[in-house]
Amino acid sequence: MAVSILWACMRIDAKAPGLDGAPGIGTKLLRELVSIGGQDRHEPHYEMLLQKMSEILVIERVVGADWPEGTTFQHEPAAFKDGPRPELLVVMPTGRLVVEVKTPSLLNHIRQRGTNGVQLPYRNGISREAAQDIAGDGGLTLPRDYPVRDFLVDADRKFRGFRADGVTASLLVLVWDDFIYEPISSLVNAGSGLLTPNSFERAADGTAQLFPDIDAVVALRHLHFFIMASRDRPLVERSHAMDFGGERALPNVLFAGSGGRPVPETVIRRLRAYPHDHPGFEGIAEYHPQDLIFWL
């Protein structure tokens, strides 16, 4: 696992080297990664490691895309003095792309999902009380839509200052595990999805809360590979933790945001992301919002 992380950081440095002897973006990320720790078996530190590895994964994909000559990359830039800092700013000759990476704290959720008999993937569909009655003594796993909402709010805030130029596009990447229906259900279920007119998050005037500075959201199904690799378990479909998978690997999911500016197609291809309503997802249940899940 360590070798795959090192190689990913080296690939980042090759595309985004430091200037005037300063460390490249990959070296900075590696230093941040190895600085995490200090307490044996401290789960919050483990989740911080997963989050940093997710940043490395996504940044390596973005900087390795097919960019025009003269493109440069800035790690954790600020649009103004003391402003919020997203993960990456891509500066092209004809435009810019700002990228934020978010990874939920899923370990406790994974344990609940593996223990409880019923899962409620989103709110305002089947009521919590009804789902609890159905679950009975088998236990009920609740939605993870509040963290997804918080990710949208924070990314929208971080992107705002960069988009004042009228040309900067923005991309939020959510690094999830193999249960990809969870972010899909939170974002686009028809009854309360955060990116729909019926969003459970409401503005002061009672309308659906928009995120006008987010142009696109991509949900990656990759966190489970990090977890398995960290536990020296065999990886299915991957040769190492930072292996993003080939064209035949299960795809990631693209959602349109409220911003309306196009995200460069070369990035979407590198992330192997397809629109959530793509015809290829027809008949594949895990790529659609789920009302209620029963675990046997």
Side-chain angles (χ1 to χ4, degrees), residues 65-73 90-95 264 266:
D66 187 16
W67 297 107
E69 186 176 353
T71 298
T72 60
F73 307 96
V90 183
V91 182
M92 300 162 277
T94 58
T266 183

Side-chain angles (χ1 to χ4, degrees), residues 186-216:
S186 295
L187 291 169
V188 294
N189 83 79
S192 64
L194 286 157
L195 297 181
T196 73
N198 295 321
S199 171
F200 72 83
E201 187 71 6
R202 313 306 287 180
D205 63 359
T207 61
Q209 178 66 57
L210 299 178
F211 305 97
D213 289 304
I214 299 177
D215 294 315

Side-chain angles (χ1 to χ4, degrees), residues 126-145:
I126 297 173
S127 71
R128 178 174 176 174
E129 292 75 16
Q132 190 67 68
D133 287 343
I134 293 170
D137 295 334
L140 176 67
T141 302
L142 297 175
R144 294 291 289 162
D145 45 11

Side-chain angles (χ1 to χ4, degrees), residues 98-121:
V98 62
V99 181
E100 175 72 355
V101 182
K102 297 291 191 184
T103 307
S105 298
L106 283 183
L107 295 180
N108 188 52
H109 177 71
I110 290 170
R111 286 190 286 266
Q112 291 179 357
R113 197 172 56 199
T115 302
N116 295 334
V118 176
Q119 181 178 2
L120 186 64

Side-chain angles (χ1 to χ4, degrees), residues 96-97 167 169-170 215 260-264:
R96 304 192 305 176
L97 172 69
V167 297
S170 61
D215 294 315
R261 296 177 192 170
V263 172

